[in-house]
Amino acid sequence: KSDAKNFIGIGNIDIKYNSSNDLNISSKTQIKRSKLNHSNNIFSNTNETLNTFRKEAKVKPVFINQNIEIHKKFSSDHNVSLLGNFSYTKNNQNKSWESNTNSFSTLLPIVNQSTIRLNQINNLEKHNYNFLIKHFWLLNRTNHIYSTIGYKVRKSLFFTEENQVLDNETKSLLAENEFGNNLKYKLNDLWIGVHYKFKKGIFTAKQGFQAHKYSWDVNQSSILKKSKWVLLPEMLIGIELNRSKKVELRYALKTSFSEGKNFSNRFYLQSYNSIFKGNENLENELYHSSNIQYRSNSLYRGLSLFANINLTKKVYGYVSEVKFNETNQFLTTVLLDNASESISFTGFVRKRINKIELKLDGRVRKSNYLQKIDNLIIRNESNSFSPGFGIETLFKKYPNIETGFN
């Protein structure tokens, strides 16, 4: 039996200003406030014994987002844009579990009673700041230079506390066995980017790089500070065979950091029988991303073609690990070399014959990724193929019919 009560409120404020001297200013504000109360009761009968399990969750998320953009055209050759963004997320959760059977993880230091009642406080606050200055320099009609300076700040406050309600109604904190988190995490990203774009005949090319200086602090039972430089090249090549046929090739070296709470170094409950422990020694992922795309659209022949190939390969990336503490297990995240790679193809053909359109679609994906179970590393493979075919009538004065399969 389940019971849920939801409330959500959303507010938006948009302001725009356009002047006659090529100055444009815009501001967008969004506020979201919601409240969720959810309960779930499970009853089962084993050997004429009634087993009960109850879960309750109270969640009160808050989200605030503020965007400001300023665009100024100084001349026909020089444009400057200033972009600012602030976002705030607060997600406080109060959870409780109650059962007359001890089906909880044995890693929890629980006092054994006829009825076990557990409570959890799980609070997460995130502050994100993003500032950006872009300069567009048009050297001539076929040569452009784009310069960017940016600064990002990401802060996270993560707090967890688990306790057990005893038969005498007192609460026993489960701080033993490394439970309970109080984390302050801050990531700074100062970066510059330079890109050069030119056009020659049917070819258009854009190449450049971003240089990032990352520094991050992890403040909990211990204080950890790290910093590093990351250079990220990228490239785009476009070939316009004619007005209806285009080929585009993209490549970029990309990076990302995990969520702040994944740096926590103590246990917390994800569910009644799943325990997670973060990894304060995590660093950034690094991966290659490339894409080739072909488009063709002929109105005269009634024929449209599209094909897209994506390739992603992680130089090093995040991997989920199952670790064991004696006979007890828990989940964590580690950073491994060659963590995953995938290649996928998506394409379709559309052919119009009088008032009928024939459709043929196809999706193919092949990937592999690492998993770690204690000290054993396993590589998994996944392959999928999804074809599709359809027919659609295109009448203007009569009802139309569309059918197909996937």
Side-chain angles (χ1 to χ4, degrees):
K1 178 183 177 181
S2 297
D3 183 32
K5 295 180 181 179
N6 300 321
F7 164 81
I8 184 170
I10 301 176
N12 294 285
I13 301 175
D14 291 354
I15 301 174
K16 292 184 178 181
Y17 170 77
N18 299 319
S19 70
S20 58
N21 58 349
D22 296 318
L23 175 64
N24 299 320
I25 302 174
S26 65
S27 171
K28 294 183 178 180
T29 306
Q30 184 179 73
I31 301 174
K32 292 182 181 180
R33 181 74 168 89
S34 58
K35 183 178 180 180
L36 169 64
N37 293 332
H38 180 267
S39 63
N40 187 30
N41 294 283
I42 300 174
F43 302 94
S44 62
N45 197 313
T46 306
N47 296 327
E48 298 183 354
T49 300
L50 180 63
N51 301 319
T52 63
F53 184 88
R54 177 177 175 82
K55 175 187 174 182
E56 290 187 355
K58 296 180 180 180
V59 187
K60 297 180 180 180
V62 177
F63 175 74
I64 301 173
N65 189 71
Q66 174 67 60
N67 283 305
I68 297 177
E69 296 186 13
I70 302 175
H71 304 278
K72 173 65 177 177
K73 185 174 183 180
F74 290 94
S75 67
S76 58
D77 300 331
H78 295 276
N79 296 335
V80 174
S81 296
L82 281 76
L83 310 175
N85 171 262
F86 163 75
S87 67
Y88 169 76
T89 303
K90 182 178 181 180
N91 191 3
N92 290 351
Q93 302 184 50
N94 292 322
K95 299 179 181 179
S96 63
W97 298 269
E98 181 178 321
S99 176
N100 65 350
T101 61
N102 192 351
S103 54
F104 300 94
S105 170
T106 54
L107 193 59
L108 285 163
I110 293 176
V111 176
N112 197 17
Q113 301 179 146
S114 57
T115 299
I116 295 176
R117 291 178 289 170
L118 296 182
N119 296 324
Q120 183 193 54
I121 300 173
N122 189 318
N123 295 342
L124 177 64
E125 286 190 32
K126 294 190 288 186
H127 305 251
N128 294 326
Y129 307 88
N130 187 10
F131 306 98
L132 199 66
I133 301 176
K134 292 183 178 181
H135 176 234
F136 305 88
W137 182 10
L138 278 65
L139 301 174
N140 50 50
R141 293 181 60 185
T142 57
N143 294 269
H144 307 159
I145 293 178
Y146 307 88
S147 303
T148 309
I149 299 176
Y151 181 59
K152 297 180 182 179
V153 180
R154 192 164 75 183
K155 296 180 180 179
S156 293
L157 304 175
F158 181 57
F159 176 84
T160 64
E161 179 184 281
E162 286 85 8
N163 65 70
Q164 180 183 2
V165 182
L166 303 179
D167 287 340
N168 60 6
E169 298 302 322
T170 61
K171 293 183 179 180
S172 173
L173 289 179
L174 305 184
E176 301 176 25
N177 294 11
E178 300 182 50
F179 276 86
N181 287 279
N182 191 1
L183 167 74
K184 295 180 181 179
Y185 169 80
K186 181 180 180 182
L187 172 67
N188 296 291
D189 175 15
L190 177 63
W191 61 281
I192 60 171
V194 179
H195 295 81
Y196 170 61
K197 181 180 179 181
F198 71 90
K199 186 173 183 179
K200 182 70 173 179
I202 64 172
F203 296 96
T204 299
K206 182 179 179 181
Q207 57 275 323
F209 69 91
Q210 292 180 3
H212 292 255
K213 172 63 183 300
Y214 292 106
S215 60
W216 62 98
D217 300 343
V218 182
N219 189 342
Q220 40 195 339
S221 56
S222 60
I223 299 176
L224 184 144
K225 296 185 178 183
K226 289 186 178 182
S227 64
K228 67 188 302 185
W229 280 94
V230 180
L231 184 64
L232 303 174
E234 51 188 337
M235 175 190 68
L236 180 149
I237 297 176
I239 306 173
E240 190 170 359
L241 302 173
N242 54 46
R243 290 186 177 182
S244 63
K245 295 180 181 181
K246 295 181 180 180
V247 178
E248 196 170 78
L249 173 66
R250 295 176 181 267
Y251 166 78
L253 184 63
K254 298 183 178 182
T255 189
S256 64
F257 273 81
S258 185
E259 278 193 83
K261 69 178 183 179
N262 289 335
F263 289 80
S264 59
N265 62 2
R266 295 175 68 87
F267 296 116
Y268 68 90
L269 279 169
Q270 287 186 317
S271 65
Y272 74 95
N273 62 354
S274 175
I275 292 177
F276 183 85
K277 182 180 182 180
N279 182 354
E280 63 183 353
N281 294 310
L282 290 177
E283 295 191 6
N284 60 300
E285 288 188 309
L286 190 69
Y287 57 98
H288 302 282
S289 176
S290 56
N291 166 270
I292 185 168
Q293 191 176 99
Y294 172 77
R295 291 178 180 271
S296 175
N297 187 18
S298 175
L299 295 177
Y300 175 75
R301 298 171 59 192
L303 180 64
S304 297
L305 299 173
F306 173 82
N308 184 78
I309 298 175
N310 284 308
L311 175 64
T312 302
K313 179 177 175 58
K314 289 190 176 181
V315 181
Y316 43 86
Y318 302 127
V319 172
S320 178
E321 180 182 8
V322 180
K323 296 196 73 171
F324 290 89
N325 183 347
E326 296 180 353
T327 59
N328 305 306
Q329 70 177 40
F330 62 92
L331 299 175
T332 188
T333 301
V334 293
L335 194 67
L336 294 182
D337 294 338
N338 301 313
S340 67
E341 58 184 7
S342 67
I343 183 170
S344 62
F345 167 82
T346 303
F348 67 76
V349 180
R350 302 285 186 268
K351 174 62 178 178
R352 182 170 178 175
I353 304 175
N354 296 324
K355 298 297 182 179
I356 296 176
E357 184 177 69
L358 304 177
K359 304 176 183 180
L360 181 64
D361 302 276
R363 296 178 180 87
V364 181
R365 178 179 171 85
K366 180 179 177 63
S367 63
N368 64 78
Y369 59 93
L370 295 180
Q371 282 184 311
K372 191 175 182 184
I373 301 177
D374 223 9
N375 293 319
L376 178 64
I377 297 176
I378 302 171
R379 183 168 292 277
N380 301 282
E381 293 188 0
S382 174
N383 301 305
S384 64
F385 172 59
S386 176
F389 176 76
I391 301 176
E392 182 182 4
T393 60
L394 303 172
F395 299 115
K396 293 183 178 180
K397 297 182 179 180
Y398 304 102
N400 287 295
I401 298 173
E402 182 177 4
T403 185
F405 74 90
N406 287 297

